[in-house]
Amino acid sequence: MSITITQAASKKVRTLIDEEQNDNLKLRVFVTGGGCSGFQYGFSFDEKQNDVDTVIEQDGIKVLVDPLSFQYLMGSEVDYTEGLQGSRFLINNPQAKSTCGCGSSFTI
């Protein structure tokens, strides 16, 4: 079971990489402790790919996930949305038993 990336997410990553003019950038998706529901999702751009990272390649972009985060993200979908609450990457995680109102933290 892996992690999937929607076309909206991969398109936005490509746009952001092009704006930075750095083809070495990869989207890093991670989970940290904290948030109102116990765990929080995080997103950052990283040039460094570690040997232990899971690498998901799609539409010419790479998404990196460290081993600790991967166990919490298995089966998830990384998406990108634009709406009244602003623009953001988000995770649709079937393992999450509950999420907070803003959708950025969860419990397993």
Side-chain angles (χ1 to χ4, degrees):
M1 187 181 298
S2 188
I3 299 167
T4 58
I5 314 298
T6 67
Q7 283 194 331
S10 62
K11 184 177 177 183
K12 185 60 178 181
V13 169
R14 171 50 53 205
T15 299
L16 293 170
I17 289 171
D18 289 347
E19 285 175 5
E20 290 296 316
Q21 299 178 347
N22 183 350
D23 284 335
N24 293 321
L25 290 175
K26 301 150 191 72
L27 179 67
R28 182 171 292 282
V29 180
F30 55 92
V31 172
T32 59
C36 45
S37 293
F39 293 101
Q40 267 182 278
Y41 300 116
F43 302 92
S44 65
F45 279 95
D46 200 341
E47 289 186 8
K48 184 179 179 189
Q49 177 179 323
N50 300 317
D51 292 339
V52 295
D53 287 336
T54 296
V55 181
I56 301 134
E57 293 189 55
Q58 180 177 313
D59 301 327
I61 60 111
K62 289 183 181 181
V63 175
L64 308 176
V65 184
D66 66 87
L68 181 63
S69 297
F70 188 81
Q71 66 184 336
Y72 295 110
L73 295 170
M74 285 189 307
S76 295
E77 176 186 73
V78 177
D79 197 7
Y80 179 78
T81 184
E82 293 181 2
L84 295 175
Q85 296 177 339
S87 305
R88 63 186 175 129
F89 287 101
L90 58 99
I91 304 281
N92 298 313
N93 188 342
Q95 293 188 71
K97 291 187 177 153
S98 65
T99 59
C100 67
C102 65
S104 65
S105 69
F106 66 101
T107 356
I108 290 192

